[in-house]
Amino acid sequence: MSLVLVTKREALVLADPRRRSADRAGEHLLHRHFTADELPRLRVQVEECAAWAGLSETRRGDFVLAVDEIANNAIEHAGGTGSLLLRRIGDELECRISDSGPGFSEDVIPRILPGLDGATSGRGLWLTQLVTDRLVISAGAVGAVVTLAMRLR
């Protein structure tokens, strides 16, 4: 088990729903840019926000795993940085991760478990598609935008 320190300001934002912002597109729970060094803290923040939003413990673990896989892909394949927006929209918890890499499409997601078909990559995308209720890959202004979501109920 690793220990991740959260700053006092981050703890206040995560703990106090009045400090979160809302708009017609949903309630913004977390918005931040990240690098590889910040991934452990990002996982903790996503888990805390998912718990606050009401995602069950079992689904919360799957959600955090999926977010971590996509965030790691942004670090590994898209220049070492990314941006995450976590929102509660109706009965869904949605995470949008964008990067400034070369972009890609849903065609790169393996149809069967990577390794069984000879593929050496794609396991994170395959796993994310398996455990989430919605996965959309689109082009951003620069790079890719990966949106994943899980129903809260």
Side-chain angles (χ1 to χ4, degrees):
M1 176 186 237
S2 61
L3 175 65
V4 178
L5 299 176
V6 177
T7 67
K8 185 176 181 179
R9 181 175 175 271
E10 289 169 335
L12 286 172
V13 171
L14 291 170
D16 186 352
R18 295 170 299 176
R19 297 189 66 154
R20 296 187 172 108
S21 64
D23 60 24
R24 283 183 281 169
E27 181 179 11
H28 291 221
L29 303 176
L30 180 64
H31 186 220
R32 62 174 297 168
H33 297 282
F34 61 87
T35 63
D37 292 341
E38 296 161 319
L39 287 177
R41 178 177 291 178
L42 186 69
R43 284 189 296 271
V44 169
Q45 291 175 327
V46 167
E47 196 278 331
E48 289 174 346
C49 289
W52 181 87
L55 194 60
S56 70
E57 188 173 349
T58 303
R59 299 208 13 113
R60 192 165 56 237
D62 288 344
F63 186 79
V64 173
L65 175 64
V67 169
D68 186 55
E69 289 293 336
I70 302 304
N72 271 296
N73 282 353
I75 299 297
E76 184 178 339
H77 302 292
T81 64
S83 179
L84 177 141
L85 174 61
L86 184 63
R87 307 183 293 181
R88 180 179 178 165
I89 303 173
D91 69 345
E92 270 192 335
L93 186 60
E94 178 188 90
C95 182
R96 179 172 293 168
I97 297 176
S98 55
D99 62 47
S100 57
F104 62 99
S105 69
E106 292 179 18
D107 296 341
V108 301
I109 301 174
R111 302 223 185 279
I112 61 173
L113 177 63
L116 296 178
D117 63 353
T120 58
S121 64
R123 189 176 299 251
L125 287 167
W126 179 84
L127 180 65
T128 298
Q129 186 175 40
L130 183 69
V131 302
T132 59
D133 296 319
R134 179 167 51 94
L135 175 64
V136 178
I137 300 167
S138 56
V142 175
V145 178
V146 178
T147 304
L148 56 109
M150 283 189 159
R151 286 183 298 280
L152 295 169
R153 295 177 186 96

